């Protein structure tokens, strides 16, 4: 298992936002796992969020990599312990080690690959069956910067799947930073606004930049 440890910050970078600017009075650790097929950009999403960096030649993750990032929201500091898992099939059996006990999961697919979307669907089903029943799940369609010319997964289909499974959905681009930070901030806001740091009520649609009770079924940024 590789251990690529990231720096900590006061809020997510690379497209993030919405963090409270006040002084945080509480610190909470949140275990978050990134799941998805090989090559969808899980590591790039993690590095964009943690370090604000992107490289076209990210090394393939072996086993899993570990990074951390701290965000401030609603007078609370939330430290994400991020497990970036390998997408190769030979490492699939190791995945339960990382999503077991996780409070949040970001399931990533490539908007230019139907195969990767089907893999994401499979991951969601596995999480439903084996992970914490109260885990917050996010579906992220990465490489949105390439969608205009190479899109293979219609946004409407991904949105419908997310809605059916009570997940927040958005399309992201680790390359440009589009909506990457917002994914993590939405999770942080959900945890903070519903006081779910220690006891998560269950999967539900998340909202970007809002703690209101209105459900938001779509959108990015």
């Amino acid at each position: 298992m590789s251990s690529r440890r990231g720096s900590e910050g006061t809020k997510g970078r690379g497209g993030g936002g919405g963090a409270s600017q006040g002084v945080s009075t509480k610190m909470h650790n949140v275990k978050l796992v990134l799941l998805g097929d090989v090559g969808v950009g899980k590591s790039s999403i993690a590095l964009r969020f943690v370090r604000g960096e992107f490289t076209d030649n990210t090394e393939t993750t072996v086993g899993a990599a570990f990074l951390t990032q701290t965000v401030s929201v609603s007078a609370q500091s939330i430290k994400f312990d991020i497990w970036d898992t390998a997408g190769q099939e030979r490492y699939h059996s190791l995945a339960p080690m990382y999503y077991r006990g996780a409070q949040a999961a970001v399931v990533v697919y490539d908007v230019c690959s139907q195969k990767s979307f089907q893999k994401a669907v499979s991951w969601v089903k596995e999480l439903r069956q084996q992970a914490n029943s109260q885990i917050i799940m996010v579906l992220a369609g990465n490489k949105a910067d390439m969608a205009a010319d190479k899109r293979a997964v219609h946004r409407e289909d991904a949105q419908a799947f997310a809605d059916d499974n009570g997940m927040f959905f958005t399309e992201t681009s680790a390359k440009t930073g589009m909506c990457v930070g917002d994914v993590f901030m939405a999770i942080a806001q959900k945890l903070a606004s519903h006081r779910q740091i220690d006891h998560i009520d269950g999967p539900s649609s998340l909202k970007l930049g809002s703690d209101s009770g209105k459900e938001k079924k779509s959108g990015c940024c």
Side-chain angles (χ1 to χ4, degrees):
M1 178 183 76
S2 66
S3 181
R4 185 173 59 245
R5 192 176 185 89
S7 60
E8 296 182 15
T10 57
K11 65 178 180 177
R13 291 172 289 180
S20 171
Q21 298 300 313
V23 177
S24 296
T25 59
K26 300 179 181 179
M27 171 70 80
H28 303 281
N29 278 63
V30 173
K31 182 179 180 182
L32 181 148
V33 61
L34 285 162
L35 298 166
D37 203 6
V38 62
V40 297
K42 299 184 299 298
S43 297
S44 294
I45 285 175
L47 290 173
R48 171 63 76 175
F49 173 59
V50 173
R51 302 177 186 170
E53 299 174 355
F54 175 82
T55 175
D56 286 317
N57 300 310
T58 303
E59 294 183 2
T60 301
T61 302
V62 177
F66 180 72
L67 304 93
T68 65
Q69 176 66 296
T70 301
V71 302
S72 297
V73 60
S74 300
Q76 299 179 66
S77 287
I78 297 176
K79 180 183 176 185
F80 284 111
D81 294 331
I82 303 168
W83 289 100
D84 169 24
T85 64
Q88 300 95 316
E89 189 61 34
R90 64 179 179 273
Y91 295 118
H92 191 113
S93 62
L94 300 177
M97 294 172 51
Y98 303 109
Y99 64 63
R100 185 178 297 116
Q103 291 169 292
V106 180
V107 181
V108 185
Y109 70 93
D110 178 352
V111 299
C112 305
S113 169
Q114 185 65 37
K115 173 179 174 291
S116 72
F117 179 70
Q118 293 306 316
K119 183 66 174 179
V121 170
S122 177
W123 275 119
V124 171
K125 291 179 179 178
E126 180 171 333
L127 289 171
R128 288 282 186 232
Q129 295 172 354
Q130 300 188 39
N132 174 6
S133 62
Q134 297 177 326
I135 192 170
I136 293 175
M137 291 193 289
V138 175
L139 180 66
N142 195 37
K143 304 188 183 181
D145 56 288
M146 302 169 61
D149 299 322
K150 299 182 179 180
R151 178 181 292 278
V153 181
H154 294 296
R155 184 185 181 96
E156 294 77 10
D157 293 339
Q159 183 70 67
F161 174 75
D163 290 346
D164 288 344
N165 285 274
M167 304 171 67
F168 167 72
F169 163 73
T170 191
E171 292 188 343
T172 63
S173 170
K175 184 173 184 177
T176 67
M178 168 186 156
C179 292
V180 171
D182 291 342
V183 168
F184 296 89
M185 286 305 303
I187 294 171
Q189 289 169 348
K190 179 69 174 180
L191 292 168
S193 65
H194 292 270
R195 298 180 180 178
Q196 294 173 319
I197 298 298
D198 299 312
H199 301 286
I200 301 174
D201 293 336
S204 61
S205 297
L206 305 185
K207 301 164 285 298
L208 293 180
S210 172
D211 290 335
S212 68
K214 295 182 180 180
E215 180 181 6
K216 182 171 184 177
K217 291 188 176 182
S218 64
C220 157
C221 306

